[in-house]
Amino acid sequence: EAGVTQFPSHSVIEKGQTVTLRCDPISGHDNLYWYRRVMGKEIKFLLHFVKESKQDESGMPNNRFLAERTGGTYSTLKVQPAELEDSGVYFCASSQENYNSPLHFGNGTRLTVT
Amino acid sequence: AQSVTQPDIHITVSEGASLELRCNYSYGATPYLFWYVQSPGQGLQLLLKYFSGDTLVQGIKGFEAEFKRSQSSFNLRKPSVHWSDAAEYFCAVGASNQGGKLIFGQGTELSVKP
């Protein structure tokens, strides 16, 4: 089976611009998660979708971040406008069930805001 | 506050030597514990997990970890390290009712000397 796919793998944008990250989970996985790792820090939870619904968005840093999951399939994470502190690696993960199912991570999108 | 501490940012071991990576957690509820590995350019891969039962858990690639409740620790071990084990290792903790919402440590980067 295909794994979790993230696009792009790298993105370099200027402060104030908009960037959209995409995640395609493993087919059939209802649960989709976004995580972020700022350089030198730990990986932090951003939000959790169950199908197309946001189950938990307690980790979203502020309202410059907008996540969507169209039709319960792929998800996008938009940052608008981007700030320097948004730089980091954004990971997407999916799982089949919410409990006791392992998370399958994508390779991440490295975002650099200059 | 809930947290995971990996005291060692970087460890270097010789190929064939034994390895122990430390992980301590602070968590109010009964924790679910995980170790993930990230090789360069790859996503996070689950090495092993502890939910309940036997406190010594076996994982992939010859790794094992021991849950010690009294010490709030979940250290990762391998008897003999291979050059391909060079990667970054993450300890994570979650709750039974929160599925894939995990709290990660800062990671330990492992280098392997020939």
Side-chain angles (χ1 to χ4, degrees), chain A residues 33-36 42-48 56 58-59 93 95 98 100-105, chain B residues 2-4 27 31-36 44 46 48-51 90-105:
Chain A
Y33 302 83
W34 283 98
Y35 282 84
R36 176 175 75 169
E42 64 273 19
I43 300 168
K44 285 196 171 180
F45 168 85
L46 296 179
L47 87 159
H48 169 209
D56 182 346
S58 60
S95 68
N98 198 22
N100 299 338
S101 290
L103 291 181
H104 299 264
F105 280 83
Chain B
Q2 300 168 349
S3 64
V4 176
Y27 205 74
Y32 284 8
L33 294 157
F34 305 83
W35 275 99
Y36 284 86
L44 280 77
L46 180 66
L48 47 79
K49 61 185 179 185
Y50 172 77
F51 285 170
F90 296 92
C91 181
V93 65
S96 60
N97 62 347
Q98 295 193 9
K101 182 180 181 181
L102 304 179
I103 298 170
F104 282 87

Side-chain angles (χ1 to χ4, degrees), chain B residues 9-109:
Chain B
I9 302 299
H10 189 200
I11 284 182
T12 300
V13 299
S14 298
E15 190 168 18
S18 63
L19 171 71
E20 182 169 26
L21 302 183
R22 296 182 291 164
C23 172
N24 292 94
Y25 66 90
S26 173
Y27 205 74
T30 300
Y32 284 8
L33 294 157
F34 305 83
W35 275 99
Y36 284 86
V37 61
Q38 185 184 21
S39 299
Q42 303 295 312
L44 280 77
Q45 180 183 24
L46 180 66
L47 282 176
L48 47 79
K49 61 185 179 185
Y50 172 77
F51 285 170
S52 64
D54 192 346
T55 56
L56 183 63
V57 293
Q58 303 296 321
I60 62 172
K61 304 186 180 187
F63 285 92
E64 66 178 26
E66 186 171 12
F67 171 55
K68 294 185 177 180
R69 185 185 299 276
S70 62
Q71 298 177 20
S72 297
S73 69
F74 189 56
N75 294 349
L76 182 71
R77 300 193 294 251
K78 186 169 184 177
S80 177
V81 169
H82 187 261
W83 64 266
S84 61
D85 293 325
E88 192 162 17
Y89 292 79
F90 296 92
C91 181
V93 65
S96 60
N97 62 347
Q98 295 193 9
K101 182 180 181 181
L102 304 179
I103 298 170
F104 282 87
Q106 287 191 298
T108 298
E109 186 170 355

